[in-house]
Amino acid sequence: MQLDPKGWFTEVCKEGGLAFSLAIREKLHAETTPYQYIEIYQTETFGRLMVIDGFIMLSGRDNFFYHEMMAHPVLFTHPHPQRVLIIGGGDCGTLREVLKHDVVKKVQQVEIDERVTRLAEKYFPELCQSNDDPRAHFHFGDGLRFVAEAPANSIDVIIIDSTDPIGPAEGLFQASFYSDCQRLLGEKGILVHQSESPLIHLDLLNKMRAEMKKGGFPQVRTLTYPQCVYPSGWWSATLAGHTLSCFRERDATAKIFPTRYYNVDIHRASLAVPEFLRQTEESS
């Protein structure tokens, strides 16, 4: 990561041998929390930008791809998702999308760093417009501990809206954590976890799917979508459960809330698997 004298923020992806840059007008905020270093920038064309430990978390211009695809496919796959748990998601964009579903009765969000949420409220208020919804319950603490201590069969959908598998988020990518999630969900629940770029992080994606199966989930399916501020511009999320074939297509078609990317055709298309990814799935 660097900000050069001409005002370009650059994130270098060493494992992919590439970098991504955004033209910056000014730095709006920077602070070191007990967990990480958070920066907020005003960009020239992508709105405001949140960066954590040098990695781009979101921009005002394109975050809707990620937030919609982390929320709506899994919620329209579960037959009746009333109780939702979000691990991470401190910017609250995924929470906003989840709360668009009237069937959802309660959402618990567990974010380890409260400052992410407070900064999102200040600099990305459009993502936090549902934070006062009475169905939303915030817990600022360790997601691993929360899941380990929560009662069995108490959640319908778990959304793991985590950062990269380093630092505080590393434990969220392991079989022991997925096993705890399986206990909370029971046989009817579904989990979805952001799973990086299929092009650059294929080894990690394959390891995640293997860890999910070790943790007790017999079925896994990876969906993909564009995300230009993340390495390669192509991102993924992976569903895990006992049955992932129940797409409530009629409900998705008749949804009464607005989206900018997600619709029924996008849902179907996102699950289409390119050959190189299909081959790794079949061999796992």
Side-chain angles (χ1 to χ4, degrees):
M1 180 280 296
Q2 61 183 15
L3 188 64
D4 69 28
K6 296 182 180 179
W8 288 85
F9 174 88
T10 299
E11 178 185 325
V12 175
C13 176
K14 292 183 179 179
E15 66 270 26
L18 54 85
F20 179 79
S21 297
L22 285 169
I24 300 297
R25 290 182 183 173
E26 62 177 318
K27 178 181 281 190
L28 301 175
H29 185 84
E31 70 174 87
T32 301
T33 77
Y35 303 99
Q36 51 208 353
Y37 180 56
I38 307 174
E39 299 165 279
I40 309 290
Y41 294 95
Q42 181 66 49
T43 73
E44 291 286 349
T45 59
F46 271 71
R48 288 178 173 172
L49 180 73
M50 178 181 285
V51 177
I52 295 181
D53 289 337
F55 297 98
I56 293 174
M57 292 296 107
L58 65 99
S59 82
R61 184 173 182 176
D62 77 336
N63 70 77
F64 65 93
F65 291 102
Y66 179 92
H67 291 136
E68 291 183 13
M69 294 304 286
M70 286 297 293
H72 303 310
V74 69
L75 291 174
F76 281 122
T77 298
H78 192 284
H80 198 61
Q82 293 186 309
R83 305 163 299 173
V84 178
L85 172 63
I86 302 173
I87 303 296
D91 60 64
C92 301
T94 298
L95 174 67
R96 181 192 65 182
E97 296 303 313
V98 169
L99 289 169
K100 289 179 179 180
H101 292 253
D102 290 341
V103 68
V104 172
K105 302 302 182 185
K106 181 178 182 179
V107 185
Q108 299 184 78
Q109 178 163 294
V110 185
E111 165 61 51
I112 196 168
D113 193 345
E114 184 174 356
R115 290 300 298 159
V116 175
T117 298
R118 300 310 170 208
L119 290 172
E121 290 172 341
K122 181 176 181 179
Y123 293 104
F124 299 87
E126 69 279 9
L127 301 183
C128 301
Q129 59 191 18
S130 298
N131 285 16
D132 292 330
D133 190 303
R135 295 172 294 165
H137 302 265
F138 293 90
H139 308 273
F140 296 105
D142 185 355
L144 291 168
R145 177 177 296 179
F146 185 94
V147 169
E149 296 176 354
N153 301 305
S154 60
I155 301 294
D156 299 314
V157 169
I158 297 176
I159 300 173
I160 307 172
D161 183 356
S162 68
T163 55
D164 297 337
I166 55 176
E170 185 175 4
L172 301 177
F173 290 74
Q174 298 176 3
S176 57
F177 171 68
Y178 294 131
S179 178
D180 284 335
C181 290
Q182 163 64 21
R183 182 182 59 82
L184 265 62
L185 291 167
E187 292 191 359
K188 295 183 179 180
I190 304 175
L191 173 149
V192 64
H193 195 162
Q194 78 85 9
S195 46
E196 308 286 302
S197 169
L199 186 62
I200 294 177
H201 308 113
L202 184 57
D203 288 345
L204 172 63
L205 175 53
N206 288 334
K207 181 179 178 182
M208 279 185 64
R209 292 192 296 223
E211 294 292 298
M212 287 173 168
K213 291 179 179 180
K214 289 179 184 177
F217 293 102
Q219 292 187 16
V220 296
R221 296 192 71 182
T222 296
L223 58 89
T224 66
Y225 52 93
Q227 195 71 56
C228 67
V229 301
Y230 291 169
S232 82
W234 188 37
W235 217 243
S236 73
T238 297
L239 299 160
H242 285 261
T243 175
L244 300 176
S245 59
C246 183
F247 172 31
R248 292 186 290 111
E249 186 170 334
R250 183 176 298 179
D251 291 342
T253 301
K255 67 181 178 62
I256 59 174
F257 54 82
T259 53
R260 296 180 65 192
Y261 182 69
Y262 177 86
N263 57 36
V264 169
D265 291 334
I266 288 293
H267 187 128
R268 293 196 208 98
S270 71
L271 291 166
V273 180
E275 278 305 301
F276 79 90
L277 195 55
R278 184 193 305 275
Q279 291 165 9
T280 62
E281 286 182 341
E282 292 174 351
S283 63
S284 63

